Amino acid sequence: MSEADGSEPVYCAAGIQIMRSADLAADGWERRTVGDPERMAELIDLYVSLGFETTTTELDPSSFGEACTSCAISACTTYVALYTRRQNAS
């Protein structure tokens, strides 16, 4: 995916891009962060208390843009992406 095909990159750090999941975006989900699954429970509780639905997706090296190679393969394969949407958005 790229800006040329209509997808929008989301930057998790300077120079490292992770492409949005087109299916989730089409259903109204917005990516909030990428991080360790053990820490996501805290964020999920926070977003739920603010009236959001939450979902997470696993990542793999193909989820990352060209700027992130060894990091994506060695460390970030254990991370998940957190998405939210307002309740009753679908």
Side-chain angles (χ1 to χ4, degrees), residues 30-34 47 52 81-85:
E30 291 185 57
R31 185 195 322 249
R32 296 298 179 175
T33 192
V34 173
Y47 279 111
F52 288 89
L82 173 64
Y83 292 82
T84 66
R85 68 179 176 188

Side-chain angles (χ1 to χ4, degrees), residues 59-70:
L59 303 175
D60 62 47
S62 68
S63 300
F64 293 82
E66 293 177 12
C68 188
T69 55
S70 62

Side-chain angles (χ1 to χ4, degrees), residues 70-89:
S70 62
C71 171
I73 294 167
S74 64
C76 297
T77 56
T78 61
Y79 287 10
V80 296
L82 173 64
Y83 292 82
T84 66
R85 68 179 176 188
R86 288 277 176 198
Q87 291 182 359
N88 303 318

Side-chain angles (χ1 to χ4, degrees), residues 27-72:
D27 287 336
W29 293 97
E30 291 185 57
R31 185 195 322 249
R32 296 298 179 175
T33 192
V34 173
D36 186 275
E38 293 182 21
R39 299 300 308 258
M40 285 299 157
E42 298 168 31
L43 288 174
I44 289 169
D45 289 344
L46 173 64
Y47 279 111
V48 168
S49 75
L50 295 171
F52 288 89
E53 293 179 82
T54 63
T55 191
T56 59
T57 62
E58 294 181 351
L59 303 175
D60 62 47
S62 68
S63 300
F64 293 82
E66 293 177 12
C68 188
T69 55
S70 62
C71 171

